[in-house]
Amino acid sequence: MQKLKDKYMEKQVMKMAFDFDNVVERRGTGSRKWDGVQDVFGEEVLPLWIADMDFSSPPAVAEALQERAAHPIYAYNTQEESLYEAIIEWNRRRHAWQIQREWLLLTPGVVPALTLAVYSFSKEGEGVIIQPPVYPPFFELVKDNGRAVVENPLRLQNGRYEIDFADLEEKMADPNNTLLLLCSPHNPTGRVWSREELATLKELARRYQVTVLADEIHSDIVYRGQRHIPLASIEGGASDNIVTFMAASKTFNVAGLNLSYVVVPCPQKRKQLDNWIGRIHLRRNNLFSVLATEVAYRQGGEWLDALLPYLAANAEYAAQFLQDRLPEVTMVKPEGTYLIWLDFNKYFSDSRELDRFMVQEAKVGLNSGRSFGRQGEGFVRLNIATSRRILHEALERIEQALKKRGKE
C-alpha cells in the first residue's frame, strides 16, 4: 500500500484535458444503467435515469485500481488512516468544514447508513420528516422500518423550490416527530440551500430537539454562483443533533465500489450509530473502495473542476432545447447535482400515461416523477451526466414522439 501511496497520492497532478464528449461504451459491463434497462423499463430505451455518470472516473483512480488489481491477493484490508486524512482535507478545502478525525465512521453506502441512523435515533412509530418531491429511498427507509413518513412538501415559487418553514416548524413541534431527512443539495430539484435557509432549519431543529440526518452526497456537484454549505458547519445552534452522510461516489463516478462516510460530532450519537454498525458487522470495507476514495480526494480535484462546467453546459443546452423546441415543458434550473426536473403537466394529465409515453413512444428511460412523491405528478427526472450527443438524442426522441402525437 505504501508503494501505491508514493505513486498516486503524493505525485504532482499532470495538467491535462478531459474529454467528456467522448462516448464510453458501457453495454456489456454489468452496468445497471445500461445493461439493466430491459428489467427496469420492460424494453430497450436510451437510459438517462439512475444517478451515475457516463464519464470515465479520474485517470489517477483507474490507474491506482489497476495497479492494486495486478496483485493477485484481495484479502482483508486495513482502514488506512490516510483515507481519513484525505476526507478531512477534501472537506476543508472544498467546503471550508473542519471535520475532526473522531467524528468519522465508514459505511458501505449512504442509504444503508441512513437506514442505520433511523434505527439508531428513533423508535418504531415515531415520525420522520421528509421534504418531497425527494429521493425515493427516503420514503422506503422510513416506511420499511416501522416509522411514519411526515411530509413537509417543498414549494415551487417562480420556478425555484423553497422550504415551507412555517409548515416545517409545525411538524417539528410535534414531539412524535424526532427526525428530519434533509437532502442537500436536493435531489431531484437541484436546489443548493442557502446559508440563511440552512441556519433557519438548524435553529428549528435545535429548538424542537429534532435530529437532522443530512444526505449531502451531491455536495461537490454545484454550479457557478452557488456554494454547498454543510449543515453541521453553520455557526449558531447546536451541531450535536446534525449527522452528515457523504461519499466520493457521485462526485467521481465510483458508486459501484460502495463506500460512504458519516460525520457525527456528538459522541453519544456516534456511539449509538457505531454500535449498530458493529451489531450487523459492517466494520470492513472493500479494499478497492478505500483506495479509490482516497485517490479521488487527493488527485481528482482538477478532473472535477473540468467536469462541473461541462455539466452546467449540458443543463444550459437542455434548457435552450426545451425553450426553442418544446416550450410547454418547464425545466427547473438546477443549482447543483447532475439531475434536471422536467414538468410535462401541460402535455399529460396522468403520470402513468407520461411514463408509458417516455418508454414506449419516446424510447427514453427516465425516472418517473411519481416515485419522488405525489408532488412529482407530471414530472420526470433526467440525468444530464452524459455526452452532449446522447443528451441531444434523448431530447430529440422526446420531441419527435410528441410530434407524432400532434403535441409539438
Side-chain angles (χ1 to χ4, degrees), residues 395-407:
L395 294 171
E396 199 163 56
R397 285 188 185 195
I398 294 169
E399 178 194 25
Q400 293 304 316
L402 286 171
K403 281 183 176 180
K404 286 183 180 178
R405 282 187 158 225
K407 290 188 176 186

Side-chain angles (χ1 to χ4, degrees), residues 139-156:
F139 295 91
E140 298 160 8
L141 66 88
V142 174
K143 291 177 181 177
D144 292 349
N145 294 292
R147 277 65 173 171
V149 170
V150 178
E151 295 190 7
N152 167 231
L154 300 179
R155 299 181 303 181
L156 184 55

Side-chain angles (χ1 to χ4, degrees), residues 173-186:
D174 183 339
N176 191 60
N177 299 333
T178 56
L179 297 180
L180 165 68
L181 294 184
L182 174 70
C183 196
S184 176
H186 191 268

Side-chain angles (χ1 to χ4, degrees), residues 77-84 106 283-286 290:
N77 64 301
T78 60
Q79 303 298 347
E80 293 283 326
E81 279 303 311
S82 56
L83 168 62
Y84 296 102
L106 296 182
R283 294 203 188 282
R284 292 194 177 276
N285 287 284
N286 182 302
V290 171

Side-chain angles (χ1 to χ4, degrees), residues 81-144:
E81 279 303 311
S82 56
L83 168 62
Y84 296 102
E85 293 168 4
I87 290 169
I88 291 166
E89 179 61 16
W90 178 265
N91 280 280
R92 185 191 66 78
R93 286 188 288 109
R94 285 277 166 170
H95 306 303
W97 186 21
Q98 188 60 56
I99 295 172
Q100 303 301 313
R101 164 64 183 87
E102 63 268 20
W103 297 353
L104 289 167
L105 300 172
L106 296 182
T107 49
V110 164
V111 173
L114 284 166
T115 303
L116 287 176
V118 168
Y119 265 120
S120 298
F121 308 132
S122 67
K123 298 182 177 66
E124 193 167 342
E126 290 184 340
V128 180
I129 303 168
I130 63 173
Q131 297 174 306
V134 74
Y135 182 49
F138 278 22
F139 295 91
E140 298 160 8
L141 66 88
V142 174
K143 291 177 181 177
D144 292 349

Side-chain angles (χ1 to χ4, degrees), residues 35-305:
D35 292 327
V37 293
Q38 187 81 29
D39 295 334
V40 175
F41 296 101
E43 54 186 278
E44 289 298 320
V45 295
L46 185 64
L48 288 90
W49 61 292
I50 194 169
D52 68 15
M53 298 190 278
D54 290 333
F55 309 129
S56 300
S57 295
V61 172
E63 291 169 14
L65 293 177
Q66 290 163 16
E67 174 99 0
R68 177 59 186 87
H71 190 288
I73 297 177
Y74 313 113
Y76 296 123
N77 64 301
T78 60
Q79 303 298 347
E80 293 283 326
E81 279 303 311
S82 56
L83 168 62
Y84 296 102
E85 293 168 4
I87 290 169
I88 291 166
E89 179 61 16
W90 178 265
N91 280 280
R92 185 191 66 78
R93 286 188 288 109
R94 285 277 166 170
H95 306 303
W97 186 21
Q98 188 60 56
I99 295 172
Q100 303 301 313
R101 164 64 183 87
E102 63 268 20
W103 297 353
L104 289 167
L105 300 172
L106 296 182
T107 49
V110 164
V111 173
L114 284 166
T115 303
L116 287 176
V118 168
Y119 265 120
S120 298
F121 308 132
S122 67
K123 298 182 177 66
E124 193 167 342
E126 290 184 340
V128 180
I129 303 168
I130 63 173
Q131 297 174 306
V134 74
Y135 182 49
F138 278 22
F139 295 91
E140 298 160 8
L141 66 88
V142 174
K143 291 177 181 177
D144 292 349
N145 294 292
R147 277 65 173 171
V149 170
V150 178
E151 295 190 7
N152 167 231
L154 300 179
R155 299 181 303 181
L156 184 55
Q157 302 284 346
N158 301 316
R160 191 168 186 254
Y161 280 88
E162 297 178 354
I163 297 172
D164 184 342
F165 281 107
D167 180 72
L168 179 60
E169 181 167 12
E170 181 180 327
K171 302 293 170 55
M172 282 188 168
D174 183 339
N176 191 60
N177 299 333
T178 56
L179 297 180
L180 165 68
L181 294 184
L182 174 70
C183 196
S184 176
H186 191 268
N187 172 8
T189 70
R191 264 308 310 276
V192 175
W193 306 116
S194 69
R195 182 177 295 275
E196 291 73 24
E197 289 170 312
L198 293 170
T200 300
L201 187 150
K202 187 175 182 182
E203 171 55 26
L204 289 173
R206 182 203 63 78
R207 185 182 309 165
Y208 296 108
Q209 298 182 9
V210 171
T211 296
V212 182
L213 308 181
D215 174 0
E216 301 189 12
I217 196 171
H218 292 277
S219 59
D220 300 315
I221 310 295
V222 296
Y223 300 135
R224 183 183 296 274
Q226 302 295 327
R227 179 186 168 197
H228 173 74
I229 303 170
L231 178 65
S233 73
I234 295 283
E235 295 179 1
S239 291
D240 279 355
N241 63 335
I242 310 298
V243 181
T244 307
F245 302 78
M246 305 179 94
S249 54
K250 302 300 182 189
T251 308
F252 298 106
N253 211 23
V254 292
L257 294 175
N258 291 355
L259 179 68
S260 64
Y261 54 96
V262 190
V263 187
V264 197
C266 174
Q268 182 180 354
K269 283 187 169 58
R270 189 164 61 249
K271 183 177 180 180
Q272 284 178 264
L273 183 56
D274 193 43
N275 283 343
W276 266 106
I277 292 171
R279 286 172 69 180
I280 57 177
H281 300 276
L282 284 180
R283 294 203 188 282
R284 292 194 177 276
N285 287 284
N286 182 302
L287 67 91
F288 292 106
S289 67
V290 171
L291 175 60
T293 298
E294 180 173 354
V295 173
Y297 278 157
R298 292 190 186 278
Q299 299 293 331
E302 186 183 8
W303 179 91
L304 178 60
D305 290 340

